[in-house]
Amino acid sequence: MAVLREEAEREAAVRRSETPRAFESQTELGLEETAGAASAAKAARDRLARLRGPEPAPEPTDKPTARRDLLPDIEEINSTLRASTEQRSGDDYARAHPASADESASNTGFRSGFSLVMLIAVVLIATYLAAPRIAEQLPATKDALEGYVAAVDAARVWLDAAMGKAITALQGLAGGDNG
């Protein structure tokens, strides 16, 4: 056990000597050198400000800062590291799948359009079926309802004749192949 402890202490000493102390370290349960960490954070903010341009970063106060304020914002760092011509992963996906960006909007549009057509069809069928009762209840609509029922009946007769011709033609084709 003593050998393992010595080796662990030696490794820790080597790591401490290799790593520059840019940020605060916590050897025990207390914080060490918040002033050194604050100066490192100030240096990082100054570097980001120089990379961004003329906009100066606010100077930190002398009182201790919160630990999360000691580190620079990761999004700011990433934005300065990317080249302006470099493609972002989200942009790649949008270019590869242009329809999927508006997929939810088109699905909603299709759903509402389909529902509207089905609602209109149900209203027209209900009107056709209930035409005699509606004409009794509202005598002023009798002529319009009679015309509507006659038009639907004519469409049903035409559809029956067209389907009869199509079935006869298909039977003729099927019979011609087998004979």
Side-chain angles (χ1 to χ4, degrees), residues 106-175:
S106 66
N107 283 345
T108 305
F110 174 79
R111 191 177 306 126
S112 62
F114 183 77
S115 299
L116 178 65
V117 169
M118 293 306 294
L119 178 67
I120 291 171
V122 166
V123 168
L124 292 175
I125 291 170
T127 304
Y128 175 78
L129 294 175
R133 279 189 242 140
I134 295 172
E136 287 176 13
Q137 296 288 329
L138 302 169
T141 62
K142 185 176 182 179
D143 292 336
L145 286 173
E146 285 176 354
Y148 173 68
V149 169
V152 171
D153 287 339
R156 289 176 58 202
V157 168
W158 172 84
L159 182 63
D160 184 51
M163 289 304 293
K165 287 180 186 176
I167 290 171
T168 304
L170 285 175
Q171 287 175 346
L173 289 175

Side-chain angles (χ1 to χ4, degrees), residues 28-158:
E28 295 178 8
L29 293 178
L31 293 176
E32 271 184 65
E33 298 182 33
T34 53
S39 65
K42 180 186 179 304
R45 282 193 296 271
D46 290 344
R47 178 166 159 48
L48 282 173
R50 277 183 277 138
L51 289 173
R52 280 194 205 130
E55 182 179 294
E59 294 294 322
T61 61
D62 290 339
K63 58 185 169 180
T65 58
R67 290 184 72 186
R68 69 172 176 257
D69 295 336
L70 296 177
L71 299 173
D73 185 27
I74 190 71
E75 293 300 322
E76 293 175 4
I77 293 172
N78 286 340
S79 67
T80 60
L81 294 178
R82 287 191 186 121
S84 61
T85 59
E86 180 183 342
Q87 295 178 352
R88 311 293 194 273
S89 61
D91 295 342
D92 292 340
Y93 183 80
R95 285 188 192 100
H97 305 291
S100 67
D102 295 328
E103 189 172 327
S104 62
S106 66
N107 283 345
T108 305
F110 174 79
R111 191 177 306 126
S112 62
F114 183 77
S115 299
L116 178 65
V117 169
M118 293 306 294
L119 178 67
I120 291 171
V122 166
V123 168
L124 292 175
I125 291 170
T127 304
Y128 175 78
L129 294 175
R133 279 189 242 140
I134 295 172
E136 287 176 13
Q137 296 288 329
L138 302 169
T141 62
K142 185 176 182 179
D143 292 336
L145 286 173
E146 285 176 354
Y148 173 68
V149 169
V152 171
D153 287 339
R156 289 176 58 202
V157 168
W158 172 84

